[in-house]
Amino acid sequence: LGAGAAMMLVGGINWVWVGTAAGAAVGMVYVALFVIGYNKSRVIYWLDPWADAADKGYQLSQSLITIGSGGLWGLGLGKSRQKFLFLPEEHNDYIFPIVCEELGYIGAMAVLILFAMLIIRGYWIAMHARDRFGALLAAGITTHLALQTFLNIAVVTNFLPATGISLPFFSYGGTALLMQLFEVGLILSVSRQNDNNFLYQKSVS
């Protein structure tokens, strides 16, 4: 949804549609939070996971413990303790807390900086694409990766309620990794066309 919205904004869209979609999204959030009881309880324990840390708040509380136990430099690569039956889904949706525990604050910040560089470069490629198709393609894929990264890290750090979003290039799953590498390959293809177009213009001039 977010990638599609980014592509429509790049390609040009009537802002009336944007307002209508935003209103519909607010209505859907209201229904999800106040009509469907399961999602309401999820939000309640997101606001205070320690209220039931042994049951419904267990996942979030263990995630925060895992992140905090890494300290500044971490316990060392492969030396996580929380991944041994303490933190559920440690190989999938909650792999970032394991990164924090093993590599510490410094390693976690390095991972975030690498993601930021990838996302910024993707948008730069989209802005300098030689045609609209390349711009839309690069912007859509970059937004998809950016939203997935943000949602995963926001969930495991208790900034947002649980959504079940994996972390690109880190979470377990061969098919997901294959598709993410395929998407980055498409962005690199757009970048190569930009470079070739620049070299052609330079040679002509």
Side-chain angles (χ1 to χ4, degrees):
L1 182 62
M7 294 173 69
M8 287 187 288
L9 288 175
V10 172
I13 187 175
N14 190 333
W15 285 97
V16 175
W17 297 359
V18 176
T20 304
V26 172
M28 292 173 62
V29 170
Y30 175 82
V31 172
L33 294 182
F34 298 102
V35 177
I36 303 175
Y38 174 76
N39 291 326
K40 183 178 180 180
S41 63
R42 178 178 290 189
V43 172
I44 291 174
Y45 290 107
W46 160 62
L47 295 174
D48 187 12
W50 307 105
D52 191 7
D55 188 12
K56 291 183 170 57
Y58 180 80
Q59 182 89 50
L60 282 176
S61 60
Q62 289 298 317
S63 177
L64 296 176
I65 291 173
T66 305
I67 293 173
S69 63
L72 182 63
W73 296 103
L75 304 179
L77 188 62
K79 296 182 179 180
S80 168
R81 295 187 294 259
Q82 288 291 109
K83 65 183 178 182
F84 296 111
L85 303 179
F86 290 101
L87 177 64
E89 298 296 329
E90 81 291 343
H91 63 292
N92 196 3
D93 296 351
Y94 282 77
I95 195 171
F96 186 72
I98 301 300
V99 173
C100 295
E101 184 182 20
E102 294 187 354
L103 303 181
Y105 175 80
I106 301 299
M109 287 302 301
V111 172
L112 293 179
I113 290 172
L114 290 174
F115 272 119
M117 292 173 61
L118 174 64
I119 294 165
I120 292 171
R121 180 63 180 178
Y123 283 124
W124 188 92
I125 292 171
M127 292 173 58
H128 294 82
R130 68 176 186 177
D131 54 32
R132 174 156 298 186
F133 176 78
L136 292 173
L137 183 65
I141 293 175
T142 303
T143 303
H144 171 249
L145 294 174
L147 286 176
Q148 190 171 348
T149 303
F150 169 75
L151 289 175
N152 177 270
I153 295 177
V155 166
V156 301
T157 56
N158 202 30
F159 183 74
L160 290 176
T163 57
I165 302 295
S166 59
L167 184 64
F169 308 109
F170 279 81
S171 294
Y172 178 81
T175 303
L177 178 61
L178 180 64
M179 293 306 300
Q180 289 155 7
L181 292 175
F182 176 75
E183 290 175 341
V184 173
L186 292 177
I187 297 178
L188 291 175
S189 177
V190 175
S191 177
R192 186 175 63 178
Q193 292 179 359
N194 297 348
D195 294 338
N196 291 340
N197 188 44
F198 172 77
L199 294 174
Y200 173 76
Q201 293 177 351
K202 186 175 181 180
S203 63
V204 170
S205 61

